Each structure stands twice: as structure tokens, then as C-alpha cells.
Amino acid sequence: MINIIDKLHQKHALTAEEYRSLLLCEDTETLGYLQKKAQQTTLARFGNAVFIRGLIEISNRCRNNCLYCGIRKSNTMVSRYALSRETILRCCKEGYELGFRTFVLQGGEDVSQTDDWIVDTVFAIKKEFPDCAITLSLGEKSLTAYQRFFEAGATRYLLRHETFNEAHYQALHPSEMNRDHRLLCLRWLKIIGYQTGTGIMVGSPGQTIDHLVEDIQFIERFQPAMIGIGPFIPHADTPFANEPAGSIELTLKLLSIFRLMHPSALIPATTALASLSPDGRERGILAGANVVMPNLSPSSVREKYTLYNHKAAFGSEAAEGLKLLEEQLNKIGYKISYLRGDHN
Ligand code: SAM
């Protein structure tokens, strides 16, 4: 097994069978070796500095009905909101003063936030904060819309493929959504020139080891600039309310595999990881992550953007908790980087 890890470290690729055996491996020493190699790779490439991104959750309205997601259209228990452009700019200002140089605008697919509105919002942020990077995570849009957002100044886009396996994708989503269209959007984003991020939920209902191998091989081919992986966590008002959460250990193992596969990738220690375990974020960083995304949304709406239960949005998961974050990072030998942190 050590040979396989060394091969991944050197060649950045394995066969499907090798990935499979790594995913099934439970030997503590071997997994410690995998994590050590991934951590060394991150340190060699980025040093001990972790990039921060200010996450602004701009709307919890969504036209989609993804079975796992707490803000799905059919969930009538959600108190819906959408931030105004002025509020978003205020969040950016607050973030800028705290030292953030990347703003991530994430939200449901809210039809009231039209393409024109998004273009004008990106443009307004860029005008006021020209030295900052703007990342969008607003789901599936038309090719023209993606092009217009890019021209307005957004240079990064996060769109998880969620699962590469077609049947599994269909088990997680309503029939109006399909995997091929999701993949097409990802190709468009890359062709336009975005630093494109994709990723998966680990332990989503019905997920098998073979599905994960397909996900890994897709990410190996696609070469995303950013890789977002976090455990699935159930939400009480979704069809998956009674499904178990994904495993932290498997999430960390995948994180290390992705680091060895793509040494230059920007890989967040996700909020979902921090929500499942109090030291989840630190464990993510020690497994090879190099980004954290503290919450910059107005505190009044944070509880409403509930993708899953017990989501962390305060303390060191919050933008105003940067000092606490710095202390936690220092304890494991890391520090915050206040640079934009673009992908090379
Ligand atoms: N609408 C955009 C999209 O589809 O990419 C962005 C918002 S969406 C809520 C952001 C991500 O949240 C999804 O890609 C999904 O992986 C994650 N997510 C949703 N529900 C989740 C859950 N129950 N557990 C863990 N992650 C979840």
C-alpha cells in the first residue's frame, strides 16, 4: 500500500484498482503515511499559510429540489431571504477591513437574482474592491451568463459535480436535473477561463466505493483549480433526514488523495467537516487542505442558510472570528495568508 501512495505522490495518478484499495484501506499506519505525504506536499507548495475566503450566502431561495439539501424548493420550513446588492457590498466592506481579498458569493438558484442583477453585482464589487477576487457559486447557468459574469470580473466558479455516476446522480436529484448538464457547465466554465472548482459530498446516500473511484478519476482528468469535498450531513426537513452522515475519516482520506493527485489545487477544509467535529477544520488542514472559508454573511441570515443541520457559522467559522481562527491554526503550526491566493 505504501508503494501505491508513493506512486500517487510521484505520478499524480493511479489505476482504478489502486484507488479502490486505498479507499478500502483501514490500516492506521498506512493512512498516517498518506496524510503525512499529503501534508508535506501542501507545505512544499504553499508553506504553512492557509488562504481565507469570505463566504457570503446571497440567497437561500432555490428553484431546485436536490434531495439532500436543506434549502431545496419543496422545504416549506425555510424562512427565505435574498440579500440586496447594498447588503452584499456592506459584507464585502466588512470583509475587506478584516483582511479578506476573496469574496465567495454562494446561493441557491434564485430566479429573482437575474443574470443582469448578478452581472451588475459582480461589477459593483469589482469597482469598489479592484484588488479582490470574486468567486461565484450560484449553480447551473447558461453559457452566455457564465461569460457575462466573467467579463464583469468574476474569475472563479465553484460547481460541485456531486457524484460522477449517472444513476447515483439521479438518486440524489429530481428528474429535471441531470449529470451531463452539470458536467457541461463545468466544461463551459473551464473554457471561459474561470479557475473552476468541483467536488463531491462524501457519504451521500447510496454512494459506494466504486462511485468514489469514478469521482476521483473524473477529478484526475478534469484538473480543477479548486476541489471542494465535505461529508454529507442530513437535514431534518429533506427526504434524506434519516440517512447517516458521511465519515470524517473517509473525507480526510479523499482530501489527502486529491492533494497528492493535484499538488497545486486549492482545497478547502470545508464547513461541513468543521460542523461534524470541533477539530474537523484542523484535521482537514493536516490532511492537505489549504483554504478556509469563514462566513461573512450578515449574522441575521446565517441560520436561514441551513443546507444541513448543526451547520457551523459562528466562532472561528465566522469572518469576525479570524482571531480565534488564527489561534487555532497557530496551535497546529499554521497561519492565515491574507493574499488573494489564485491558482497557478
Ligand atoms: N446552488 C449552488 C450549487 O448548486 O452549486 C450552490 C449552493 S449549494 C447549496 C452548495 C453545496 O452545498 C452543494 O454543492 C452541496 O455539495 C452542498 N450541500 C448541500 N446539502 C448538503 C448536505 N446535506 N450535506 C453536505 N453538503 C451539502
Side-chain angles (χ1 to χ4, degrees):
M1 197 59 68
I2 297 290
N3 295 348
I4 292 181
I5 298 170
D6 286 340
K7 179 178 167 193
L8 183 58
H9 181 221
Q10 283 152 19
K11 301 206 181 317
H12 313 298
L14 295 175
T15 64
E17 210 30 65
E18 287 167 334
Y19 283 128
R20 199 168 192 285
S21 53
L22 202 48
L23 288 174
L24 289 171
C25 171
E26 288 185 356
D27 176 61
T28 325
E29 235 173 84
T30 310
L31 296 180
Y33 184 75
L34 171 68
Q35 179 160 328
K36 198 175 92 207
K37 279 281 172 204
Q39 193 195 5
Q40 284 170 354
T41 303
T42 319
L43 285 169
R45 185 70 68 138
F46 299 96
N48 67 341
V50 175
F51 296 120
I52 50 167
R53 320 303 197 191
L55 177 66
I56 308 172
E57 296 156 336
I58 65 169
S59 171
N60 70 352
R61 295 186 194 143
C62 193
R63 63 176 174 160
N64 290 330
N65 234 344
C66 307
L67 276 76
Y68 45 84
C69 186
I71 61 168
R72 65 200 301 268
K73 179 173 67 182
S74 298
N75 185 3
T76 53
M77 308 299 280
V78 181
S79 155
R80 304 283 173 175
Y81 74 89
L83 300 184
S84 66
R85 185 171 306 133
E86 292 66 38
T87 306
I88 294 171
L89 284 167
R90 238 189 347 265
C91 294
C92 294
K93 184 166 186 291
E94 220 173 89
Y96 193 89
E97 283 163 7
L98 288 165
F100 286 90
R101 292 297 177 268
T102 292
F103 303 119
V104 181
L105 271 49
Q106 191 186 81
E109 291 187 21
D110 180 346
V111 285
S112 71
Q113 293 179 332
T114 61
D115 295 346
D116 285 344
W117 183 88
I118 294 168
V119 167
D120 291 347
T121 303
V122 168
F123 196 77
I125 299 173
K126 203 66 203 167
K127 189 162 171 237
E128 205 166 322
F129 308 99
D131 53 332
C132 291
I134 301 172
T135 307
L136 299 179
S137 176
L138 301 173
E140 297 177 26
K141 306 280 178 189
S142 67
L143 171 60
T144 313
Y146 286 145
Q147 276 166 333
R148 293 181 63 211
F149 304 160
F150 189 78
E151 281 154 20
T155 52
R156 307 177 188 161
Y157 206 104
L158 301 174
L159 185 75
R160 290 183 178 179
H161 67 283
E162 313 294 0
T163 176
F164 186 77
N165 182 274
E166 211 168 346
H168 187 223
Y169 190 93
Q170 234 41 76
L172 299 179
H173 298 95
S175 54
E176 311 84 79
M177 295 178 75
N178 72 79
R179 184 210 57 167
D180 286 349
H181 190 259
R182 194 91 178 164
L183 298 182
L184 179 63
C185 287
L186 281 167
R187 276 202 299 280
W188 284 342
L189 291 165
K190 216 170 176 197
I191 290 167
I192 292 168
Y194 282 99
Q195 294 171 44
T196 306
T198 194
I200 57 167
M201 279 176 298
V202 179
S204 56
Q207 185 180 69
T208 65
I209 291 294
D210 288 332
H211 294 156
L212 287 174
V213 172
E214 289 182 57
D215 289 319
I216 294 174
Q217 291 191 306
F218 166 65
I219 288 179
E220 189 188 293
R221 289 191 300 277
F222 187 69
Q223 303 251 335
M226 302 170 281
I227 305 171
I229 40 167
F232 159 76
I233 305 177
H235 184 293
D237 303 313
T238 65
F240 291 153
N242 298 319
E243 297 289 339
S247 138
I248 295 189
E249 279 67 32
L250 186 54
T251 305
L252 295 172
K253 193 196 278 189
L254 280 156
L255 215 151
S256 296
I257 290 174
F258 288 129
R259 170 57 65 211
L260 292 179
M261 179 193 285
H262 291 315
S264 66
L266 294 153
I267 306 181
T270 54
T271 305
L273 200 52
S275 300
L276 263 197
S277 156
D279 62 352
R281 192 194 25 239
E282 290 88 325
R283 291 176 71 189
I285 288 162
L286 294 172
N290 65 331
V291 173
V292 290
M293 296 169 63
N295 199 312
L296 250 187
S297 310
S299 39
S300 58
V301 303
R302 283 185 207 169
E303 306 249 298
K304 296 180 185 166
Y305 196 81
T306 306
L307 309 180
Y308 43 82
N309 291 129
H310 313 295
K311 182 178 149 231
F314 292 95
S316 55
E317 275 300 314
E320 65 277 11
L322 275 193
K323 228 174 148 334
L324 190 59
L325 174 65
E326 182 88 62
E327 282 166 22
Q328 289 178 351
L329 291 180
N330 289 347
K331 274 194 198 145
I332 55 166
Y334 286 76
K335 61 181 185 187
I336 293 176
S337 164
Y338 289 92
L339 300 174
R340 272 169 58 119
D342 283 288
H343 180 256
N344 295 316

